[in-house]
Amino acid sequence: MVKFYKRLLLVLSLTGLISGTVIYYTVDIHTFYHLNAFKSWSLLAVLVFLGLGLYFDGTRLVHLVRISGEDISLMGAVQVVFSNYFLAALTPGAAGGAVAQVLFLRRAGVPTGKATVIVVVRTILSILFLLLCLPMVLYFDPGLMPWLSENLLRAISATIILGIFSIIWLLRKNTLAYFLVLFTKRLHYTRRRRIFSVYRDVRGAILMLSSAPVSMVRVFLESAASLLSLYSVVPVLFMGMGVDPDLVRVMGRMVLLNLLLYFAPTPGGSGIAEGGFIVLFSEFLPSGTVGITAVVWRMIVEYIPFVIGLYFTVKVFGRNFLASQIK
């Protein structure tokens, strides 16, 4: 239990240090003027969008569990979602979030094998949506990567789309297993076993995706609704600052930033999220406000669910569970 509290204190200290540093290096003499003009209605609006994002995240999990032949209540699904936010923020690369989801699904009566596949499917659907959006992001925001010509952009877009469907096809046919054997034959047995374990989970997720295409379309749309609702928090905060944002460009940059955060090595993407936000959105905001906006964004979409996830985890599993998971 002591180790858990040390980890929690470390994460909170890191979060506070990053937030303080971001604010310190981005404020100027205009900051308080713009903050005084902040429209309070926008805070209520961002909570509405946060609620919508979490709701659709819960409903897509309910429908995924049903596709697998099991059942879970919406309340049970919401607990899974919040537990992901909590343990993901405490572990490098958000690895603990997947463990928490599987444990909560097991408690809801979903077998471990199916629970693992469901968690992988959730992640794949989110990343798939972001990857499919990426060509449109680059097209409507040419200033994001000005060195990309239209012809190169078309080639990148076609490669992304073709690559996604090619990988899905190869996984369904199990063709990638042959290349995986060649790639891993010189690796240590333990590492090979881990790689093939991940491969089996991913392939199981792809097979599940293709087993009920109509239902999966619904889940994919719920994934899109969840992500877009959560990303809408940012332009609403901009409007609270008195900015009339370019919604297409702002949402596009949120897609790019969150795609990068899926592969961030730090707990909960701390540091990378704030830094990326400042780089991508400083041109949209009044002077001296981008750092504070970045911190408020993280507090709303990450730290509020984190606290709720802590509550559900302790309530359901007890404090001893935390000690056993934080190693």
Side-chain angles (χ1 to χ4, degrees):
M1 199 64 194
V2 173
K3 185 172 288 187
F4 163 72
Y5 283 120
K6 287 182 177 179
R7 177 67 65 85
L8 181 60
L9 181 61
L10 176 62
V11 170
L12 293 177
S13 300
L14 177 63
T15 300
L17 178 62
I18 291 172
S19 299
T21 302
V22 166
I23 293 174
Y24 178 79
Y25 282 103
T26 56
V27 297
D28 59 24
I29 59 174
H30 305 289
T31 301
F32 292 105
Y33 169 78
H34 293 299
L35 289 180
N36 286 332
F38 184 78
K39 300 175 179 61
S40 58
W41 61 263
S42 65
L43 289 178
L44 177 61
V46 297
L47 291 177
V48 170
F49 278 111
L50 175 64
L52 286 173
L54 296 172
Y55 169 76
F56 284 118
D57 203 358
T59 57
R60 72 165 174 168
L61 181 59
V62 169
H63 297 136
L64 275 175
V65 171
R66 288 177 182 170
I67 291 172
S68 73
E70 305 295 333
D71 196 22
I72 189 174
S73 66
L74 181 58
M75 186 59 188
V78 168
Q79 291 180 357
V80 175
V81 171
F82 282 120
S83 72
N84 175 48
Y85 278 94
F86 171 55
L87 276 183
L90 294 179
T91 50
V99 174
Q101 292 177 73
V102 171
L103 291 173
F104 269 87
L105 285 169
R106 281 177 54 190
R107 187 180 182 279
V110 181
T112 302
K114 287 184 179 180
T116 302
V117 171
I118 289 168
V119 171
V120 174
V121 169
R122 287 185 72 237
T123 305
I124 288 176
L125 286 174
S126 297
I127 295 177
L128 179 62
F129 172 72
L130 297 178
L131 286 173
L132 290 175
C133 287
L134 190 57
M136 292 184 289
V137 171
L138 298 176
Y139 178 80
F140 287 106
D141 194 358
L144 191 59
M145 296 181 180
W147 58 86
L148 291 179
S149 64
E150 287 193 12
N151 289 335
L152 183 57
L153 179 59
R154 293 192 189 98
I156 292 174
S157 303
T159 302
I160 291 174
I161 295 173
L162 182 62
I164 289 171
F165 288 103
S166 296
I167 291 173
I168 291 174
W169 184 81
L170 290 171
L171 283 168
R172 286 191 62 195
K173 299 296 183 181
N174 206 26
T175 307
L176 284 181
Y178 171 76
F179 297 101
L180 205 58
V181 170
L182 294 177
F183 175 74
T184 61
K185 65 180 181 180
R186 297 184 181 275
L187 298 179
H188 188 272
Y189 170 77
T190 303
R191 185 168 293 181
R192 289 186 68 189
R193 186 177 178 181
R194 289 176 181 173
I195 292 173
F196 274 94
S197 177
V198 172
Y199 173 78
R200 285 193 297 270
D201 290 341
V202 173
R203 185 167 184 266
I206 295 300
L207 293 175
M208 182 178 170
L209 282 168
S210 59
S211 65
V214 175
S215 297
M216 276 300 173
V217 169
R218 176 181 181 176
V219 174
F220 181 78
L221 293 176
E222 287 175 323
S223 299
S226 174
L227 293 173
L228 292 177
S229 295
L230 293 173
Y231 300 167
S232 296
V233 166
V234 171
V236 172
L237 284 175
F238 287 7
M239 285 184 261
M241 291 284 186
V243 175
D244 184 15
D246 184 335
L247 288 176
V248 174
R249 293 180 64 205
V250 170
M251 293 294 282
R253 295 192 180 199
M254 285 300 297
V255 166
L256 178 61
L257 176 58
N258 282 273
L259 181 59
L260 294 176
L261 289 179
Y262 269 100
F263 307 98
T266 56
S270 296
I272 296 175
E274 291 84 354
F277 189 96
I278 291 171
V279 171
L280 292 173
F281 296 109
S282 57
E283 65 181 270
F284 294 93
L285 288 165
S287 175
T289 60
V290 65
I292 292 177
T293 307
V295 171
V296 172
W297 162 62
R298 289 288 286 174
M299 288 179 62
I300 292 171
V301 301
E302 290 291 336
Y303 304 140
I304 291 177
F306 170 87
V307 173
I308 299 174
L310 170 61
Y311 166 75
F312 278 129
T313 303
V314 173
K315 179 182 178 181
V316 173
F317 292 105
R319 290 183 297 175
N320 291 332
F321 164 80
L322 301 175
S324 66
Q325 294 303 313
I326 304 299
K327 300 180 180 179

